[in-house]
Amino acid sequence: MAEKAGNFSALMSLYSNDGDRKYLTQSERARFYAALDTLGDTKARTFAETIYWTGCRPCEALHLSPLQVDVDENVIIFRSAKKRGALKGRHYRPVPVPHSFMLRLDRIHNLQATRSHRSNGSDTRLWTFSRSTGWLLIRGVMQAAKLSGVKACARGLRHTYGVHAVLSGVPLPRIQFWMAHASMETTAVYLQLAGAEDREIASRMWRETMAA
C-alpha cells in the first residue's frame, strides 16, 4: 500500500520530471488573463475564460449547452468527464463563476434567446470546434502572454485554478467537488506550492509568530 501511495504522489506532482512547474503563478495568471484580449473571436475568448474561471477540462467545456448555464445563479453545470462506473456520463457539478463573466457569456452566446428551447432539451453546443482546436486556442493565449514550458497549456490552466483556489482559502472539499476529483488525495496535490505562493502562506505564519 505504501508503494502505491508513493507512485500516486509522484504521478500527481505539480512538477514535471525535470522539476518544471505545471501551474501559473499569480503574476503569470494575470498575464494570461490580459492576453485573452488577443483573441479576436469573442466566442473563442469565452471558451478560454470558462477554463480560466472554472478549472474545467477542455472536453467538459466543449460539451456545454445552454441548458447547463444557469445565468440567474451564476453557475456553469459541467458533466464530469473522468467519472467511471455508474456515474460515467451522469455526474454533473455546478461551478460558480463571476457575475461579470456570466453576463458576457449570456450576451455573446445569446443565451436569453435559447431559453425558450430549454423545455425541448436543446443540445446546441456553446462551441462547435474540436478539442484540438480548443487546446491550440489556450496555447495561443499562453504564447501571447509569453508563457512557455509544461505549464503553458489547458492542463496548466486547470492546475492553476486548483492552486489559486487553495491560496484563496477555498476548503479542499469544495475544490475537490468543483474540479471533480475522485479522491481528496488528488485535490491535496495543490498544497504543493512554491516560490511566491509558498512565501504568501509562510508570511501568515511569520506575522502570527512576531505578534506573539
Side-chain angles (χ1 to χ4, degrees):
M1 181 63 71
E3 183 179 353
K4 287 184 178 180
N7 290 338
F8 180 87
S9 298
L11 178 65
M12 296 304 297
S13 173
L14 285 179
Y15 302 91
S16 70
N17 291 336
D18 298 325
D20 192 9
R21 181 167 31 83
K22 294 181 180 179
Y23 64 92
L24 307 182
T25 63
Q26 298 285 62
S27 61
E28 290 170 340
R29 184 173 179 269
R31 280 163 52 192
F32 176 88
Y33 190 79
L36 287 171
D37 289 338
T38 62
L39 291 173
D41 185 342
T42 55
K43 288 190 176 181
R45 176 180 174 125
T46 58
F47 170 79
E49 240 189 302
T50 295
I51 299 176
Y52 175 90
W53 288 119
T54 69
C56 72
R57 302 173 180 90
C59 61
E60 292 174 336
L62 291 174
H63 274 97
L64 284 173
S65 74
L67 289 168
Q68 294 165 255
V69 183
D70 192 329
V71 177
D72 296 329
E73 293 297 321
N74 293 313
V75 298
I76 298 176
I77 304 165
F78 295 98
R79 184 174 70 182
S80 301
K82 293 295 182 75
K83 296 298 181 181
R84 297 291 183 265
L87 289 178
K88 185 175 182 180
R90 298 185 179 186
H91 183 271
Y92 290 86
R93 66 186 194 279
V95 181
V97 296
H99 181 62
S100 58
F101 173 58
M102 181 58 75
L103 290 178
R104 272 198 308 282
L105 197 63
D106 188 8
R107 173 175 52 82
I108 291 171
H109 293 271
N110 200 22
L111 296 178
Q112 298 284 357
T114 64
R115 286 179 178 175
S116 61
H117 300 294
R118 292 193 175 201
S119 60
N120 299 324
S122 172
D123 62 354
T124 303
R125 296 288 178 256
L126 299 187
W127 302 281
T128 57
F129 46 76
S130 67
R131 189 187 307 185
S132 59
T133 297
W135 274 79
L136 288 174
L137 281 173
I138 299 298
R139 282 196 175 276
V141 178
M142 292 287 186
Q143 290 172 357
K146 301 189 183 308
L147 298 169
S148 60
V150 68
K151 62 184 175 292
C153 63
R155 186 177 290 109
L157 203 56
R158 178 170 164 82
H159 286 320
T160 301
Y161 176 85
V163 168
H164 183 64
V166 166
L167 288 174
S168 300
V170 178
L172 287 184
R174 298 315 302 161
I175 300 174
Q176 179 187 6
F177 178 74
W178 290 345
M179 300 188 73
H181 289 155
S183 72
M184 185 62 74
E185 284 181 299
T186 303
T187 310
V189 167
Y190 294 111
L191 296 175
Q192 299 175 11
L193 306 176
E197 288 77 15
D198 230 7
R199 290 194 298 274
E200 180 176 333
I201 290 177
S203 66
R204 299 173 198 164
M205 177 179 64
W206 298 334
R207 286 196 297 270
E208 291 173 359
T209 301
M210 289 185 289

